[in-house]
């Protein structure tokens, strides 16, 4: 689950409700092999319903800022 906190997750046997899913077909080629799979995305792990309940706010990973400057000297 993207953007989920490391300490939060679902386990085998949990009932999972996915409101407003976005289904995407992924196809990738690597070393002459083609890999194809479906992906389901939701806006946030907080929008899921797990075992009839919404996850707590702590299920959302904190924001992280990543910067890069390819022109900066080493």
């Amino acid at each position: 689950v993207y953007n989920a906190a490391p300490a939060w997750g679902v386990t085998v046997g949990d009932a999972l409700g996915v409101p407003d899913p976005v289904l995407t077909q992924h196809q990738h080629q690597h070393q002459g092999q083609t890999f194809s799979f479906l992906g389901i995305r939701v806006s946030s792990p907080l929008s899921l319903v797990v075992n009839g309940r919404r996850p707590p706010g702590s299920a959302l990973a904190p924001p992280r800022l990543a910067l890069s400057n390819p022109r900066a000297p080493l």
Side-chain angles (χ1 to χ4, degrees):
V1 177
Y2 294 106
N3 296 324
W8 181 85
V10 294
T11 59
V12 174
D14 283 346
L16 184 63
V18 183
D20 301 320
V22 176
L23 184 65
T24 305
Q25 173 75 39
H26 298 272
Q27 285 192 328
H28 302 279
Q29 291 186 338
H30 179 69
Q31 296 181 346
Q33 293 185 317
T34 300
F35 300 91
S36 179
F37 59 92
L38 294 174
I40 299 174
R41 300 217 48 173
V42 294
S43 59
S44 164
L46 300 181
S47 67
L48 298 172
V49 178
V50 182
N51 298 324
R53 301 179 137 193
R54 297 271 185 194
S58 60
L60 186 61
R64 197 173 76 178
L65 178 62
L67 301 174
S68 66
N69 184 351
R71 296 182 185 196
L74 296 177

